[in-house]
Amino acid sequence: TTTARSIALLQERVEPSTPPLPPKRQEQVFNELPPVVQTYLTKALPAFNKDNISSYSTKIESLTMKQKGTFRIQDHNWVPFTATQVVSANPQNVGFVWDA
């Protein structure tokens, strides 16, 4: 479908590969993240050290999340949903696609 093709094109745009950032820039980017994201990265990724980001050996360029839950639309009942979200950490194409 047209929607599926559009989503695929957007995902290609947010998932390109780029060379790693210099260590000082990596630290700056990390410090600009919301505190909840910083906490997640330091707890969820093995061997991630926020005080020495350049030592982290795995380069993360994008992540894909599967979600399910409910939305409440105004004063109506809760409506179930499922979604896939692709998030890009590429500094030249920062963004996300949320397909629900």
Side-chain angles (χ1 to χ4, degrees):
T1 68
T2 302
T3 302
R5 190 173 59 227
S6 297
I7 290 168
L9 290 171
L10 285 170
Q11 286 175 329
E12 286 177 24
R13 188 172 153 240
V14 298
E15 294 179 341
S17 179
T18 59
L21 294 172
K24 287 287 186 190
R25 179 67 181 127
Q26 290 176 20
E27 183 177 344
Q28 180 184 9
V29 168
F30 179 84
N31 290 331
E32 291 170 359
L33 293 172
V36 68
V37 176
Q38 292 180 24
T39 299
Y40 174 81
L41 290 173
T42 57
K43 291 185 177 186
L45 301 176
F48 185 85
N49 179 350
K50 69 178 183 175
D51 298 320
N52 189 6
I53 293 169
S54 62
S55 70
Y56 189 67
S57 61
T58 303
K59 180 181 175 194
I60 301 170
E61 292 184 4
S62 66
L63 101 101
T64 301
M65 297 179 278
K66 303 275 185 187
Q67 306 161 338
K68 74 177 186 178
T70 56
F71 273 120
R72 186 169 185 194
I73 303 172
Q74 296 178 350
D75 292 331
H76 301 287
N77 293 333
W78 290 90
V79 179
F81 80 95
T82 59
T84 301
Q85 182 171 351
V86 179
V87 180
S88 171
N90 178 328
Q92 295 165 343
N93 272 318
V94 173
F96 70 94
V97 175
W98 191 65
D99 180 22

